[in-house]
Amino acid sequence: MRAIPPHVLEEAIRLRKEVPSRSVAEIIRILEWDGLVSKGAIKRSTLQENLQEKGFSGKHMAIYSSGGLATRRFQKRNRNKLWHSDIKYGCYLPICFRPRRLAAVSLVA
């Protein structure tokens, strides 16, 4: 795989973030128009591999831009409006000559 200069790759990522549906060929064309690379200096497959390695491939961007499960976020407006709790049951121990089950309880704000 040929190396793409870091500043060119950052610009390509910025262009992909700007319009997630933008194709790799369009990104290369824009980079050439802006004078960052000479015509034919970057191959489509090389840029595609670099974008995929950084997490900005077409599939990744489709997940992020669709508002699907990857980007859905749940939060409350103010602190202490939502609490999570969890109970884990442990083993039985003889406490006061009777077997009693231990439980670990945690609360998270």
Side-chain angles (χ1 to χ4, degrees), residues 84-103:
H84 292 280
S85 65
D86 192 15
I87 299 175
K88 297 292 182 189
Y89 292 101
C91 60
Y92 288 93
L93 289 178
I95 299 173
C96 297
F97 303 105
R98 289 182 30 209
R100 296 194 183 196
R101 190 172 205 176
L102 292 178

Side-chain angles (χ1 to χ4, degrees), residues 74-79 81-82:
F74 177 78
Q75 68 184 59
K76 290 290 186 177
R77 187 180 284 296
N78 299 320
R79 282 179 268 172
K81 292 289 184 181
L82 178 67

Side-chain angles (χ1 to χ4, degrees), residues 22-57:
R22 188 174 275 155
S23 71
V24 175
E26 289 174 351
I27 292 172
I28 292 173
R29 195 173 315 121
I30 292 170
L31 291 172
E32 290 172 352
W33 288 341
D34 289 345
L36 291 172
V37 295
S38 60
K39 188 170 178 74
I42 296 179
K43 301 293 183 201
R44 187 201 55 79
S45 59
T46 305
L47 182 58
Q48 177 65 36
E49 288 173 4
N50 280 280
L51 289 174
Q52 187 171 0
E53 184 179 291
K54 298 287 185 182
F56 291 98
S57 68

Side-chain angles (χ1 to χ4, degrees), residues 53-70:
E53 184 179 291
K54 298 287 185 182
F56 291 98
S57 68
K59 289 180 183 179
H60 288 112
M61 296 310 289
I63 290 171
Y64 298 140
S65 66
S66 69
L69 295 176

